[in-house]
Amino acid sequence: MRKNIAAGNWKMNLNLDQSVELAHQVSKEQIPNDVEVILGVPYPFLYSCSLHTNQNNKVHLAAQNCNEHEKGAFTGEVSLDQLISVGVDYIIIGHSERRTIYGESDELLAQKIKTVLSKGLKVIFCCGEPLNIREGNKQEDFVANQLKNGLFNISAENLKSVIIAYEPIWAIGTGKTASPQQAQDMHAFIRNAVKNQYGEAASKEVSILYGGSVKPANAKDLFSNADVDGGLVGGASLKVESFVPIINSF
Ligand code: 13P
């Protein structure tokens, strides 16, 4: 169901104490009725944070990645059953840092999504173009391909377990946010792509988040757009003083 969502992606930041304290502080908040909060916590701290997020039914836990295989000899990898056992509800799939730094292909992402959905978990599927693509005004083709090859081989029923996050790479960690209009244009484009693939009802139900230098100062302007259902927030999700105002920006 389409919801307003404030999701934090902590990436490879914070230690155990800092993570638990942040999860505790966020979980103590009175989250507005129409908002869901998701915390993308580093693997080692998921369980400890779950003891706090469990206390607030509007706060959920995400892992930032997962392995596409069920189990077995995959040294250093983490399986979905393991993530389920520590209280995870969502998996972030296809973040640009996984695509570009770790070479994750659309095919691999599609495989991960299939495994995540088969386990009854939810997906936050990231897409978004690099700067040179934006400069060539080819962002729509680029994102359409990411959707087609990475996401659109799932069923309409399974799409109900997916949140899409549009994160233009040139706006991630750079302080350069997409303008509210640029975000709205791409979100409308993505929603239309969902409509073409799955029909109008599905396109109206899917939540599409914007990510890339979301801050308390720009969250309201971004989230007030018709097709922007919230944010996937990196840097500003690491402190309760900056994340809570974003949660309250709808
Ligand atoms: P920043 O908010 O730090 O730009 O990061 C965005 C992001 O990559 C969230 O997944």
Side-chain angles (χ1 to χ4, degrees):
M1 206 186 71
R2 189 157 166 190
K3 292 178 196 154
N4 293 323
I5 295 167
N9 177 8
W10 296 358
K11 306 191 182 183
M12 201 172 72
N13 295 297
L14 307 179
N15 63 21
L16 175 63
D17 288 348
Q18 293 163 332
S19 297
V20 168
E21 180 60 19
L22 182 52
H24 170 63
Q25 293 296 340
V26 172
S27 302
K28 269 192 349 198
E29 284 296 316
Q30 185 76 36
I31 312 292
N33 259 340
D34 58 343
V35 179
E36 180 173 314
V37 172
I38 302 171
L39 302 181
V41 172
Y43 285 146
F45 312 138
L46 282 164
Y47 178 67
S48 311
C49 289
S50 79
L51 303 177
H52 296 276
T53 57
N54 275 347
Q55 305 299 310
N56 188 329
N57 63 9
K58 303 192 79 43
V59 183
H60 297 271
L61 214 50
Q64 299 171 18
N65 184 26
C66 67
N67 189 269
E68 69 278 17
H69 298 288
E70 176 91 26
K71 64 175 174 179
F74 300 101
T75 300
E77 291 293 296
V78 177
S79 78
L80 284 155
D81 283 338
Q82 290 170 332
L83 294 171
I84 290 168
S85 75
V86 294
V88 163
D89 292 320
Y90 289 90
I91 315 285
I92 301 174
I93 298 283
H95 192 281
S96 60
E97 288 148 19
R98 303 263 5 136
R99 292 174 186 263
T100 58
I101 305 170
Y102 298 100
E104 295 196 0
S105 65
D106 290 330
E107 292 67 32
L108 175 66
L109 303 179
Q111 238 180 309
K112 289 189 179 192
I113 291 170
K114 202 168 150 205
T115 318
V116 172
L117 295 171
S118 76
K119 293 286 177 187
L121 292 186
K122 296 179 187 144
V123 170
I124 301 176
F125 176 79
C126 302
C127 55
E129 78 286 355
L131 184 60
N132 64 320
I133 297 289
R134 168 66 64 166
E135 284 173 347
N137 200 27
K138 293 270 187 288
Q139 61 274 11
E140 292 188 350
D141 289 350
F142 188 91
V143 168
N145 271 322
Q146 290 181 318
L147 292 169
K148 177 166 163 274
N149 299 327
L151 182 63
F152 282 175
N153 29 44
I154 63 169
S155 68
E157 186 54 32
N158 275 337
L159 187 76
K160 293 178 183 163
S161 299
V162 174
I163 295 168
I164 298 173
Y166 169 63
E167 300 203 305
I169 297 174
W170 49 270
I172 295 178
T174 58
K176 263 193 221 163
T177 321
S179 70
Q181 191 60 52
Q182 284 174 319
Q184 167 57 26
D185 288 349
M186 281 308 286
H187 283 228
F189 174 78
I190 291 166
R191 200 177 297 285
N192 195 51
V194 172
K195 182 176 156 190
N196 291 338
Q197 185 71 23
Y198 293 104
E200 177 142 27
S203 76
K204 284 185 169 156
E205 284 298 294
V206 69
S207 295
I208 308 176
L209 313 183
Y210 168 80
S213 299
V214 175
K215 301 192 166 35
N218 58 27
K220 258 202 173 75
D221 281 348
L222 287 161
F223 300 171
S224 63
N225 287 287
D227 289 298
V228 179
D229 303 308
L232 180 55
V233 187
S237 74
L238 296 174
K239 292 208 166 97
V240 70
E241 310 85 71
S242 43
F243 192 51
V244 167
I246 293 173
I247 295 171
N248 291 313
S249 291
F250 291 92

